[in-house]
Amino acid sequence: MKKSDKPLFSKPVLAGLMIFISIMVMVLNLTAPPAKYPKVDSEQWQTENQIPITWINQARWQGTNKLELRIRFSHGRDQDKKLGLTDALFSLLMLDTLPLSTSSINQRLADVTTQLSYHVGNVESELAITLNSEANYLNASMDTLIPWFNQPQFKARTFLNWQQSHVPYYLSNKAQLEQALFPKNSLQPLDGVLDEYSLSLEDIKQHYQVLLSSIDKITLVGDLADPSQMQAYLADLTQGTTFQASPMEQTIATKVSLQTQTGEQLIQSHGAFAFNPIRSAQDWISLQIWLPYYLSQLKHASNPSYVQLHFESSPIQQWAWWSIEHQQSVLQSKPKLGQEKYRQDEYFSRSVLEQALSSMSEEDFDAALERFQEKLASYVLAPSWWARLASQETSTQADHLSLQGWNDTYAEAIYDLSFKDFNASIRRLVISSSLQELQQRQ
């Protein structure tokens, strides 16, 4: 074979090939299907009173009109001077708090497709607003929301009616579990109930001013045709407010606890346990896979007529709680002493939790991961899902999962999560020593 020093292509041909290849790459990028797990773009700014605002957008949302607004307050039940104040305030805020109106705020905003809801936790609270970003709808919504938010009208008759029909939060099983799981010496359940029954309308009005002075952050999610207009709206909305960061400390129970009534048959059981901080996308995904598995283990162990499991997440506290209605047979004869399925002063859930930390098989994990991959691909297309993640499930605190950390790594984590990594995350996250259980018997 003859050897030659001549180049394979002449310079004109080589230049043409480079142009052709560049064009083909551009065409492929334009015609390629959108990423299954897209990243979002985020922009930050502050109001004049130093409240941080994060705007999250995604290429797929361009031209859509769903807009999510989350206002987070660094005030929850733990900071109430009278227990029940924050729960009562948000309940009343959702009622007829517009001047000269007997309709609730949501009824008044229904015509402009705006919907409000709220969440109250131990250390923070949140007002969630779903808006239509089309100019005529958005303008009308903000014309109502800005004066309402700055100066709601709490009416005496509405407060009286609410007080007569309201069941205090502190009577619920969830409240008892939450108090046992996150103990605070200054709070007593009975005092909480009495305080909530003795609230006055003046207490509500004063507490609203406290709430306005403790805004931690604002999250905005969705496409905006005119971002500067929304900035102006948020400036007007927060003109009478003050920034105050959420507290970073939490106290978690360190001893497994059981409160049970006397009785041979277990009728209902309720439980809760806490998690260590979620540090990474791998941790977050592992928890979403493990919680349904834990629920299946509760069902298997209890043969329930009813069971529910909830995951509660805030930037400070992550915990799970469950309630079970144990199935009773009317034909079942009275068990002999020592033969009943769950004896007095015996935990129902302790062994279930301990086993669930290590009993999931690799085959079940692979199937659960595949199912969650499809669910997550649907979740990340929704502005409301990103709003929840940004406001409640990520944090700027060191060694916690941040919004930017999630955005940068989740697409790889959902594909690369191994069975070994999953087990390592779950063993670190679940604080089994914090388990609190309540039993109702007869």
Side-chain angles (χ1 to χ4, degrees), residues 173 266-270 324-326 438-441:
N173 291 305
L266 180 59
I267 305 301
Q268 292 182 8
S269 59
H270 314 272
I324 295 177
E325 186 86 29
H326 294 267
L438 306 175
Q439 293 182 354
Q440 296 173 9
R441 292 174 168 270

Side-chain angles (χ1 to χ4, degrees), residues 259-278:
Q259 298 180 44
T260 183
Q261 298 172 335
T262 301
E264 293 178 341
Q265 285 191 321
L266 180 59
I267 305 301
Q268 292 182 8
S269 59
H270 314 272
F273 53 90
F275 299 96
N276 282 310
I278 297 172

Side-chain angles (χ1 to χ4, degrees), residues 70 126 311-313 383-393:
R70 300 288 187 270
E126 182 186 74
F311 175 58
E312 303 282 335
S313 183
S384 56
W385 184 88
W386 282 96
R388 168 69 187 173
L389 182 84
S391 184
Q392 292 293 322
E393 300 196 37

